[in-house]
């Protein structure tokens, strides 16, 4: 099945709309013009009868039958005018008249109406009659003062000629104009859709993975939103492909060693006959798998943040509520680590406009990162507050800290400080940074007020009133 092109659809729709408008208008114009012609012709008949009545009243019939009126008013004298066969072109006049006495005797008539019967009592104004195979339009005027009845007539042939001329004048332009209009509309539509062809050519010649926006010279106003949306979609697609490549590389890089270690421990457990050695290998394999699970969890969390999945949960978020949930979630880990966690709340709701999943991941990773760098017996402090423009999260620890010259590097993926302990894989602060970027937040790594350690300050813009 061949589907119609957009160009063909536009062309035929425009032509059909024009035909739907022009044809009724042409028919209406023809009918009104024909009605005006009939009215004008009837008026001419009536005016002719009244003119003849005035002449008879002032000059009399006898004077009109002879003298100077001989060439204008024709007496009843058969054979004066040649009559050709019916329905062919005739040379006799297509208009005529009759003049009757009050007793019904015809006293003056043109040859073409000489044989028309006398008017019946009550005949007046206009009526149609048949005479010699023709239809005549007759107007009857009775003048009691002059004692005459005047009847003027016109054959419908002349009106039919006018009607045919009107059909020709109204129909021929449409008959010729509509096909010509279809051709011109097709040309105009083709020219009007040329920017779409340019867009298709630009897309076809675009290099795979290119981030260059598509630019069309002198793009129509209607196409500019399409170009903007298309460029935005191509940019998103390029970002998605880049994230996929980066995630694949991260997974291949980070999972290769744990998987190999797990396989070695399992093979050792299967190969040995010593129960103690097999148990030690299985415990080691379990430890590696647990670390692998943690690593996969962090990779997936980072991938979700980078892909913008959290943007679907955009809402008002209370940071105090999130902090309480994260602390409750990490309570077993905190208790096992031997690190003291102090929470300094704001005392009032601290609401930001953001993504709950991303903010939860940000706060969780800040606390976990601090705990990994603090030895047992150390302390970590979480505080939430706000100033005039921002909501402020601060996580302070008394660990070894990070030298100022290396603080910019800790946000790199898989970067891990030598002082860290536990199962970290250098993704925690990358997740924090990505979550902050989603909220337009700023992150500062400052010196800890405890003398040693690190102070991480995250400022998230408050909603505008």
């Amino acid at each position: 099945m061949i589907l119609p092109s957009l160009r063909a659809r536009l062309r035929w729709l425009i032509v059909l709309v024009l035909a739907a408008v022009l044809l009724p208008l042409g028919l209406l114009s023809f009918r009104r013009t024909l009605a005006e012609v009939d009215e004008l012709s009837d008026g001419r008949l009536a005016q002719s009868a009244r003119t003849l009545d005035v002449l008879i009243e002032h000059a009399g019939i006898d004077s009109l039958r002879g003298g100077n009126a001989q060439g204008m008013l024709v007496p009843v004298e058969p054979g004066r005018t040649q009559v050709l066969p019916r329905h062919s072109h005739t040379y006799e006049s297509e208009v005529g008249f009759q003049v009757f006495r009050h007793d019904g005797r015809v006293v003056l008539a043109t040859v073409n109406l000489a044989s028309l019967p006398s008017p019946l009592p009550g005949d007046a104004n206009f009526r149609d009659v048949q005479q010699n195979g023709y239809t005549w339009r007759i107007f009857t005027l009775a003048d009691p003062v002059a004692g005459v009845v005047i009847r003027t007539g016109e054959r419908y042939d002349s009106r039919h000629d006018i009607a045919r001329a009107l059909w020709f004048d109204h129909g021929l332009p449409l008959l010729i104009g509509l096909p010509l209009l279809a051709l011109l509309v097709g040309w105009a539509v083709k020219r009007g859709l040329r920017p779409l062809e340019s867009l298709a050519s630009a897309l076809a010649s675009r290099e795979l993975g290119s981030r260059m926006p598509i630019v069309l010279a002198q793009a129509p106003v209607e196409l500019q939103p399409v170009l903007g949306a298309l460029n935005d979609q191509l940019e998103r697609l390029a970002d998605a492909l880049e994230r996929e490549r980066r995630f694949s590389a991260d997974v291949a890089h980070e999972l290769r060693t744990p998987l190999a270690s797990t396989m070695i421990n399992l093979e050792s457990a299967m190969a040995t006959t010593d129960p103690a050695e097999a148990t030690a290998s299985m415990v080691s394999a379990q430890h590696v798998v647990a670390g692998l699970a943690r690593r996969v969890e962090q990779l997936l969390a980072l991938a979700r943040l980078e892909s913008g999945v959290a943007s679907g949960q955009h809402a008002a978020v209370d940071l105090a509520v999130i902090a309480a949930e994260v602390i409750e979630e990490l309570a077993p880990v905190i208790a096992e680590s031997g690190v003291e966690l102090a929470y300094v709340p704001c005392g009032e709701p601290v609401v930001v406009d953001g993504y709950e999943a991303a903010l939860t991941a940000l706060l969780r990773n800040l606390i976990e990162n601090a705990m990994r760098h603090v030895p047992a017996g150390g302390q970590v402090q979480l505080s939430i507050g706000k100033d005039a423009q921002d909501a402020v999260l601060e996580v302070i620890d008394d660990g070894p800290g990070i030298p100022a010259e290396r603080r910019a590097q800790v946000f790199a993926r898989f970067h891990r400080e030598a002082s860290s302990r536990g199962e970290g894989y250098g993704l925690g602060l990358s997740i924090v940074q990505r979550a902050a970027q989603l909220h337009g937040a700023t992150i500062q790594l400052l010196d800890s007020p405890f003398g040693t350690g690190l102070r991480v300050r995250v400022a998230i813009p408050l909603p505008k009133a």
Side-chain angles (χ1 to χ4, degrees), residues 102-176:
H102 64 279
D103 57 2
R105 183 172 60 88
V106 61
V107 293
L108 193 65
T110 53
V111 173
N112 49 8
L113 288 181
S115 59
L116 192 65
S118 301
L120 299 174
D123 278 356
N125 293 332
F126 296 96
R127 60 190 293 256
D128 296 337
V129 299
Q130 295 291 329
Q131 173 69 11
N132 298 328
Y134 294 102
T135 301
W136 288 78
R137 182 69 166 171
I138 301 297
F139 176 75
T140 303
L141 174 65
D143 186 356
V145 177
V148 293
V149 176
I150 300 173
R151 190 158 59 179
T152 56
E154 178 188 20
R155 262 177 31 194
Y156 268 104
D157 300 52
S158 59
R159 301 194 184 192
H160 293 163
D161 290 340
I162 295 175
R164 283 192 291 271
L166 288 176
W167 273 117
F168 184 81
D169 291 340
H170 286 77
L172 186 61
L174 291 176
L175 186 63
I176 297 177

Side-chain angles (χ1 to χ4, degrees), residues 291-330:
L292 178 61
R294 169 65 179 165
R295 188 173 303 192
V296 170
E297 179 184 348
Q298 284 197 322
L299 285 172
L300 291 177
L302 183 59
R304 283 194 296 269
L305 290 177
E306 290 185 342
S307 64
V309 171
S311 62
Q313 296 126 17
H314 187 281
V317 180
D318 188 347
L319 296 180
V321 174
I322 289 182
E325 293 176 352
V326 170
I327 292 174
E328 182 179 359
E329 177 187 350
L330 297 178

